[in-house]
Structure formats: C-alpha cells, structure tokens
Amino acid sequence: MSMAAQRTNGTRFGTCLAYGPPLEIGLPIKVNPNRPLVMAHPAAAKHYHASFGLLEDTQHPFIQFMVDHGDYAPTSWSVDANESGMASFQRLPDTVNGHEVYRKANMNTPHWQVHAGGREAYETLTNMPPIDILYVDWLSWLPFQTEDGAGDFCQRMASIVHKIREGGLVLLDHKHKSLDEGDHPWFRYPEDGVFPITDHSSMENMGLVEWLAPNLWGDYETHIASVFLVHHHSDGLLGSTDWEAAMKPWFWGTVAEMSLQPSQIQELIAAEAEASLHPDAETLDDWMETWVRVMDQHGSQSTYMTPEPPAHAWPKGAYHEFLKGLLEHPIRLMGVPEKKTYRLRGENFILNIVYGSLLELAPALYAKNAVLALRASLAKQVVSRCPWWNGQALVLQTEPTWMSNPIKRLRWSGDSATPMLAKKMLVLAKQQPYSSLYPEVKRCTVGQVVTVAHGNGTLSEVMSAVKDYYASIPEYMALAPMELTVVCLDSHDYTDTKAVPSEFQFLSTGGSCTD
C-alpha cells in the first residue's frame, strides 16, 4: 500500500464527524501523503482503542504512541479478541528505545501501536521526536506553573506544545468532562478563536469531533473530543523548525524496514519475505502446543486460555504492498551512516568503522553470514529490535560456573579492557557456530563480525589485534573472506589515523554499511 492519505475531504482528514458550522467530515489537519501520521496518547491506560479507532478508518499509515506507568499492551490484558476468540493484535519487533510494538493483524493499512510501559509519560514523550497529534483524556501527567494550583488546559499545554509540529493537533477526549460537574480546570479554555499558550505558540479551538470505535471487547462506542490546532509563531523559537526532518526518527526508530536501504528492501520483496515478529511473541504454533497440553491434562473441563494469536501479523499481500510503498517514498528511510573502510594487505580481510547507534543500524547491518559479538544484554536488545539476528550472536561469557567461559574476566572498555578483544571475537566466530557447546549459535559460515567500540576506541589497538589473529591461524583459514565491523557512537573513536599500521590500507569513506 502506498503511503497516501485517503478518504479526506478538502483539508480535513479521516471520517469523524466534525461539528461546525458548517458540519464537516474529518480532522482539520494537513497530512503528508508520503509518511505515516504520528499520534501520541500518553496515560491512555485501556482507553487507547478510542484514539486507535479515530485513525483506523482513514486508510493512511500511522504510528500510535502510548506511554504509561502500567502495562496496558494488548497482549497483557487477554482481550482484544474477535468473535471467534482470536486475538486482534500481534507483537512486532521493539523500537530503538526498547518500547513494545503491536499491530492489528486484520488491518491492511500499515500501522504500529507502540507501548512504552512502566515509564513516566511526560519525561518519555518530551525525549521523543515531535508528533502530529497529541491525544489526551487525562492531564495530570502534564506539569504546570501557576499560583492557584488549578493547572487548567492552557497551563498544562504550555509544557508540551513544543513537541507538536506546526499545524498539528491536540485532541481533548471528553471521557472525564463530567468531573466537577463539567467545570474541571482541564476543560477550561476559550470556546473559539486563537489563544496564546506560550510566548512562542498558540492554539485555535476548532470545535468538536465525534466518531465510533470498537472497545477492547469489540463493542462499538461513541467518542467526542475538542480539537485544537497548533500554531508556532514564525518569529518565535520554533518558527524556523524543520518539523518533517525532526520527525524522521519516529519512522526508522519504530519500523525496522524503514532503517534499510532501498536495495535491501528490494531484496525482501524479491524473496517474498514474511514480516518478522518479536522473539517473545506468542505464535499460533505456540498456542496450539499449549492447547494440546491443556486438553491432555484437563480434557473437556473448563480451562482458561488466552485468545488464539493471529497466524500472521499482516493480511496476505499487505506486507509486500508496504515494502513497495517504501521504495516509492525512500525519503522516509534512514540515511546512509558514515563509514570508513580499511584492508589488511596480503589478507582477505576488511575492517569497517561505522558511526551511529547499533540499535538503529541493526537491520541495515544484518547479513546471513554475520554474527554479533556483544555483551549478552546488548545482543538481546538487538535481536528484539531486529529478530533477523536471532541465533547469530556469539557467546562471550557464560553464567554457569561449571561451563567453560569463552572470554574470562571480560572487560569491555578503558585502559584495563580485555587485551586483543577483537582477536578473541574473530576466533570465537570460527569456533562457536560449529560447536555443540553453544546450541544458541546457529550453524553458518561466518564472513563478518559486528561489534561496538571497545578498549580505548583506537585504530591501532583493533588493527594490532587483527594482525595478531592472522599471524596465529593456518594459511588455509585465512583464505576465506572476513570482515570486522565496529559500530561507535562517539565521533572521536577510531580517528587515530596517524597510528594506522603500514599493513593496513585505507579504502574509502562513506557509502552504504552493507556494501
């Protein structure tokens, strides 16, 4: 499906009923047809179905972001099941930040429902990129500064308006409007016109919208919200902000496929690849195994089981339409990271220094013949973000004391770091995929090791370890091509080019990290 806004009326978006005058259809927001819409619903609890339903009928791709102290993800409540008892949502790979992601399995429209559970809403949202729509039904999570302590709508919006793009919206759900007999401070705002929020931003009351949305049990409910259009003054602090550029991290940070290069997406299409699920997602096969076990133990007795999970996270053909849409709009893909490449003279070896976040780059760096060489905690985050890496992470340390420890007393960085760590990684990459001692590492002929900055982050250090490795192995082992890719966040790491040994030749700067 191409990323095009559909079912819109003029400058309005969606199918909700907008009370005028005049009476109109849709939200008063201009939607970029080339990217998903981003809506945040902080402190949503179990009410996220209301905001989801507002976007569900638009047929335009969207990201819905929830953040809450509790765990209100779809699979944690054992609801969201249809009439046949099948769960509506399936879990997708995590975001770059480790937030859980879900999608409604029967929807063709590309969408991602993000749950940042167990977190403080204001701090989390203010550390995320800007959004198109802020949907609120509970405002106590927003701070305010006022002498009377009331914390009305305008005062609370002043603390968050900078996170909403120019022309974006605030939707105030009327779920709690009955508080204080309808005179609660949250619902005190000008009835019409433009009103100031800060010295640099204003809001415009656009009236009410009403729509129907299925709740957690599939029953349709009516929802009403007040709509406010956000204006950032052209001569203010936010007036020159490039909002589209500022929002881009939402896309490749939430959707692994959006952090790929066009050539990699084309490969997925050609291979008719299936969409990945999170490694912890309950699949239909998992559920059936549990069902058989329960039937064996309890027979026909009444026994509780969670709803049957969807067989697939996307309807047939929808995932490939989404991938094709990415090729049509490559501007939303993550840019090519900075990369420096060196070759060890006389050997079939390449050293890549890539600058960026490994969690961001994990999908783009993936290859069938590559393995991760990381601490176990970071490797788990990478696999949760990009399940393609599952089974391709080396074991650097083992927890049971009776097992042989691959790298004893491992220290990752600093002056006391494990010496020759890169050499040890290369050795393990040749051993573990074929050792029965490490069944968690799948069999593969390793041609690349991907790791992060270690030791003191110097070229001389890692190159010395590589030279020592090649000096220690038989000549026949050195014939196979091998790459070591080091990903580093600090732009000052691996910049000691004057200390590069003569055995290494500099090849190039820049280019795709998967060239």
Side-chain angles (χ1 to χ4, degrees), residues 279 366 368 370-372 379 383 386-395 432-433 438-444 446:
Y366 174 76
K368 291 182 178 179
V371 291
L372 298 169
V383 172
C386 181
W388 303 336
W389 284 104
N390 201 14
Q392 294 178 224
L394 298 176
V395 179
Q432 290 189 358
Y438 304 98
E440 60 269 68
V441 183
K442 68 181 182 183
R443 279 180 168 264
C444 66
V446 177

Side-chain angles (χ1 to χ4, degrees), residues 39 41 44-57 62 64 66 72 74 79-80 89 104 113 115 135 137 173 175 211-223:
M39 177 170 62
H41 188 170
K46 292 184 286 183
H47 194 55
Y48 56 76
H49 58 87
S51 53
F52 187 94
L54 185 61
L55 299 181
E56 185 172 5
D57 289 336
F62 65 90
Q64 184 195 28
M66 269 74 62
Y72 298 100
V79 287
D80 286 310
F89 287 82
K104 198 169 186 178
Q113 189 184 78
H115 284 264
Y135 188 108
D137 56 76
D173 191 311
K175 177 183 179 183
W211 69 100
L212 286 172
N215 61 20
L216 298 180
W217 295 271
D219 299 322
Y220 276 81
E221 296 179 347
T222 299
H223 305 278

Side-chain angles (χ1 to χ4, degrees), residues 417-435:
T418 301
M420 296 291 175
L421 186 53
K423 174 186 177 181
K424 292 176 171 61
M425 294 174 182
L426 294 170
V427 170
L428 296 178
K430 292 295 185 180
Q431 295 176 350
Q432 290 189 358
Y434 294 97
S435 172

Side-chain angles (χ1 to χ4, degrees), residues 138-203:
W138 187 260
L139 274 63
S140 63
W141 60 277
L142 284 166
F144 62 93
Q145 292 181 348
T146 179
E147 294 180 1
D148 60 18
D152 65 20
F153 177 78
C154 294
Q155 293 161 353
R156 291 183 184 271
M157 285 298 114
S159 65
I160 198 68
V161 68
H162 65 286
K163 299 303 296 185
I164 307 166
R165 70 162 171 90
E166 167 64 29
L169 300 178
V170 173
L171 302 180
L172 178 59
D173 191 311
H174 286 199
K175 177 183 179 183
H176 297 294
K177 194 168 186 181
S178 59
L179 294 171
D180 295 348
E181 298 182 350
D183 191 34
H184 194 279
W186 296 350
F187 297 91
R188 296 175 191 165
Y189 43 76
E191 292 299 323
D192 52 38
V194 178
F195 52 93
I197 294 296
T198 68
D199 293 339
H200 309 283
S201 303
S202 302
M203 286 186 183

Side-chain angles (χ1 to χ4, degrees), residues 203-256:
M203 286 186 183
E204 182 177 1
N205 191 334
M206 304 297 289
L208 303 175
V209 293
E210 184 176 5
W211 69 100
L212 286 172
N215 61 20
L216 298 180
W217 295 271
D219 299 322
Y220 276 81
E221 296 179 347
T222 299
H223 305 278
I224 292 181
S226 295
V227 182
F228 303 90
L229 184 62
V230 174
H231 302 286
H232 297 297
H233 308 164
S234 59
D235 58 348
L237 292 176
L238 302 172
S240 61
T241 301
D242 185 342
W243 295 100
E244 289 296 318
M247 290 181 67
K248 281 191 69 174
W250 272 115
F251 312 129
W252 46 258
T254 301
V255 187

